[in-house]
Amino acid sequence: MSAEITRTLQRAAVVCVIILPILYLVIVYYRPGELRQEVPTTQKRTTSVLSRLLIALPNSPLQYPIQGFTVRPLTTTPIPGLALHAGQRSSYKVSLNVSKGVLTTENVAEGVKVQGGGGTRLIMESSSLVILNDALAKVIYTSTVYHIHTGDLASFQFENHEAVFPITIKQPQLPVLHDMGTDINSHVTIATKTFLRYPQLKVLLSSIRRFYSNIEVVIADDSFEPEHITGEHIRQYFMPPAQGWFAGRNLAVSQVTTKYFLWVDDDFLFTENTKIEKLVEVMEAVPELDVLGGTVQGNQFYFSLLYEEGEEMEGGCLYRKSQGKFQSLPGYPQCFLASGVVNFFLARTDAIQKVGFDPKLQRVAHSEFFIDGLGSLLVATCDHVSIDHQPKTGNNKDNAHYARFRNPGNSDVEFKLQLHFFKNHLKCVKYG
């Protein structure tokens, strides 16, 4: 057998090792019947006509709003920027067409012939370009469709020229504002989840009080034999036993009333380097940020996510790269953007509540929150704020009981992959 044939067979074997487990997962978890129903429904909910690619043709005599024209549903709004720039003609005739509204004009001067006012098509003609442009400046679009976020495409025509521009139909959102007060206690709530680890939880709380005596602490607790944790500025919420990691996170975060919360594990330890104020400073300076991670015992854990879309019924591929990062934050060279961070992070409360933590994931979960938030959460990590981890304790009865829940079996891992493949419509997941 030649060396070239040997190398070819070796490469084929490597491909099989990588691909066959993925194919197995696709066969096991891919459900064509359900996908045929669910994928189009999801696409209809998350896409609109405004996602259609529009290319502005060169040298058009038409002037129009190419982006940024937003109207409220069922309201009347003048269309800004409409005009015609054409050479000498004996007559100028333009038309406008829409589909989710009606077009009208107001106080049009003499010398302009208007057809179709009050419908989806409006035709305007004049022998004077000046008078026609004056009339175009008074064209009004009235939305006839109620939707909180959709759009229309308007066609603007003159002779052989046509321009299509988007009209965003959107219900405005009320801002969510927080009283920032005068100190860190009004900015941040500390949130954690505990399960069968009361000794570690008490050590964590004691360390918090060394540096932040009045900051609010929210605890979600799903232990089998609940123990009441007492003290000022502590709120403990009990759950049915063993509900899991993400269910507890949901409960804890749902009770936060401050602008930010700091997530910590129940076996962490505050030190002189756990400066919450420094994280708040970065978040306030970069208001687009939603999550800002720190380091644990000086170690910085983060990862990047790359999603490649596939065919509609095939699904895409997700790549998770450990220690993958993007560019640094302007003005903060010690911080850079990533897709996900470790379990020590400051987060914008309302942004996290919108994404939520999937309660189906009880034990094998962390990256999954950031996967669900991909495209809606801007994440960064910094190395100038750190927290410690408590040392491991002996193998007592409580630890053994905890370990049975903490260490997942193959069924937990398989369920997580099943959830990934169906919920996120994936054909492959790769870790690196």
Side-chain angles (χ1 to χ4, degrees):
M1 182 180 294
S2 69
E4 181 61 30
I5 295 176
T6 301
R7 285 194 295 270
T8 301
L9 291 175
Q10 289 173 340
R11 285 195 294 268
V14 171
V15 170
C16 288
V17 169
I18 296 173
I19 297 298
L20 284 178
I22 293 174
L23 291 177
Y24 167 77
L25 289 170
V26 172
I27 292 170
V28 172
Y29 300 134
Y30 205 73
R31 304 179 220 174
E34 294 179 54
L35 287 174
R36 276 195 294 271
Q37 176 180 352
E38 188 68 14
V39 172
T41 302
T42 302
Q43 289 178 337
K44 184 176 180 180
R45 177 177 174 82
T46 58
T47 61
S48 76
V49 67
L50 300 183
S51 63
R52 173 181 157 189
L53 178 64
L54 299 179
I55 305 297
L57 299 177
N59 303 319
S60 172
L62 299 168
Q63 177 181 303
Y64 53 94
I66 195 168
Q67 183 176 306
F69 178 41
T70 301
V71 304
R72 299 185 182 190
L74 307 181
T75 60
T76 296
T77 310
I79 301 178
L82 289 180
L84 176 65
H85 301 274
Q88 184 65 40
R89 306 282 202 282
S90 59
S91 179
Y92 303 89
K93 183 179 181 180
V94 296
S95 67
L96 284 156
N97 292 273
V98 295
S99 61
K100 295 183 179 179
V102 296
L103 299 165
T104 55
T105 59
E106 288 186 355
N107 303 319
V108 175
E110 293 184 5
V112 179
K113 182 180 179 181
V114 178
Q115 301 177 48
T120 59
R121 179 176 175 84
L122 180 67
I123 300 173
M124 307 177 73
E125 185 176 5
S126 177
S127 59
S128 168
L129 184 60
V130 174
I131 294 176
L132 179 65
N133 280 332
D134 180 69
L136 283 171
K138 298 174 181 177
V139 173
I140 296 171
Y141 176 87
T142 302
S143 163
T144 56
V145 173
Y146 182 81
H147 198 288
I148 60 171
H149 193 184
T150 185
D152 200 350
L153 291 177
S155 171
F156 187 21
Q157 294 177 312
F158 168 71
E159 296 179 347
N160 294 325
H161 302 279
E162 179 183 12
V164 178
F165 61 90
I167 302 173
T168 301
I169 304 172
K170 185 176 181 180
Q171 184 74 293
Q173 296 180 351
L174 294 176
V176 178
L177 305 178
H178 297 268
D179 184 357
M180 292 295 284
T182 58
D183 59 22
I184 193 67
N185 303 318
S186 57
H187 301 171
V188 179
T189 299
I190 297 174
T192 191
K193 190 246 175 219
T194 195
F195 175 67
L196 301 179
R197 294 205 297 194
Y198 288 118
Q200 292 89 339
L201 175 63
K202 291 174 182 178
V203 172
L204 168 67
L205 293 173
S206 178
S207 72
I208 291 173
R209 290 298 176 237
R210 282 184 58 205
F211 303 99
Y212 298 97
S213 57
N214 295 317
I215 200 166
E216 194 83 5
V217 181
V218 173
I219 304 166
D221 188 344
D222 63 346
S223 301
F224 284 101
E225 298 179 1
E227 178 180 332
H228 288 268
I229 303 297
T230 59
E232 293 186 0
H233 306 295
I234 292 176
R235 287 183 284 139
Q236 184 182 17
Y237 295 91
F238 294 106
M239 308 165 61
Q243 290 301 294
W245 179 235
F246 271 15
R249 275 193 171 186
N250 272 335
L251 174 57
V253 174
S254 73
Q255 299 306 306
V256 173
T257 59
T258 51
K259 184 176 183 178
Y260 303 110
F261 70 87
L262 182 77
W263 184 267
V264 296
D265 284 352
D266 60 356
D267 60 349
F268 282 173
L269 190 71
F270 274 55
T271 72
E272 292 84 355
N273 296 319
T274 314
K275 300 292 186 183
I276 305 175
E277 295 86 348
K278 291 184 177 180
L279 295 176
V280 172
E281 175 192 341
V282 177
M283 293 283 276
E284 287 290 295
V286 189
E288 297 90 350
L289 280 178
D290 299 297
V291 178
L292 185 62
T295 73
V296 178
Q297 291 185 318
N299 297 312
Q300 201 170 7
F301 303 96
Y302 50 87
F303 57 88
S304 62
L305 294 169
L306 174 63
Y307 173 61
E308 293 182 357
E309 291 183 278
E311 298 297 328
E312 179 178 332
M313 298 307 298
E314 182 183 34
C317 280
L318 186 69
Y319 301 88
R320 181 192 183 278
K321 182 181 179 182
S322 295
Q323 303 304 104
K325 62 182 181 180
F326 309 110
Q327 74 269 17
S328 62
L329 286 180
Y332 295 92
Q334 71 275 34
C335 306
F336 49 83
L337 296 170
S339 298
V341 294
V342 74
N343 288 338
F344 171 54
F345 58 82
L346 185 75
R348 199 171 301 275
T349 304
D350 60 330
I352 303 310
Q353 288 173 343
K354 289 177 182 177
V355 175
F357 301 89
D358 193 335
K360 299 187 199 71
L361 296 167
Q362 294 185 308
R363 283 172 289 278
V364 189
H366 178 65
S367 303
E368 289 68 29
F369 163 70
F370 294 100
I371 291 172
D372 285 342
L374 185 64
S376 60
L377 296 179
L378 187 63
V379 182
T381 179
C382 299
D383 65 6
H384 68 308
V385 180
S386 183
I387 199 167
D388 269 5
H389 199 287
Q390 298 175 34
K392 301 291 184 180
T393 57
N395 292 322
N396 56 34
K397 178 182 177 181
D398 289 340
N399 285 335
H401 193 191
Y402 172 80
R404 286 197 293 271
F405 288 88
R406 177 64 179 86
N407 300 318
N410 290 335
S411 60
D412 292 281
V413 177
E414 290 175 3
F415 174 77
K416 182 179 79 167
L417 289 173
Q418 177 182 356
L419 188 66
H420 265 323
F421 275 76
F422 181 79
K423 185 180 79 171
N424 302 124
H425 191 35
L426 300 175
K427 65 179 178 182
C428 62
V429 179
K430 298 181 181 180
Y431 296 88

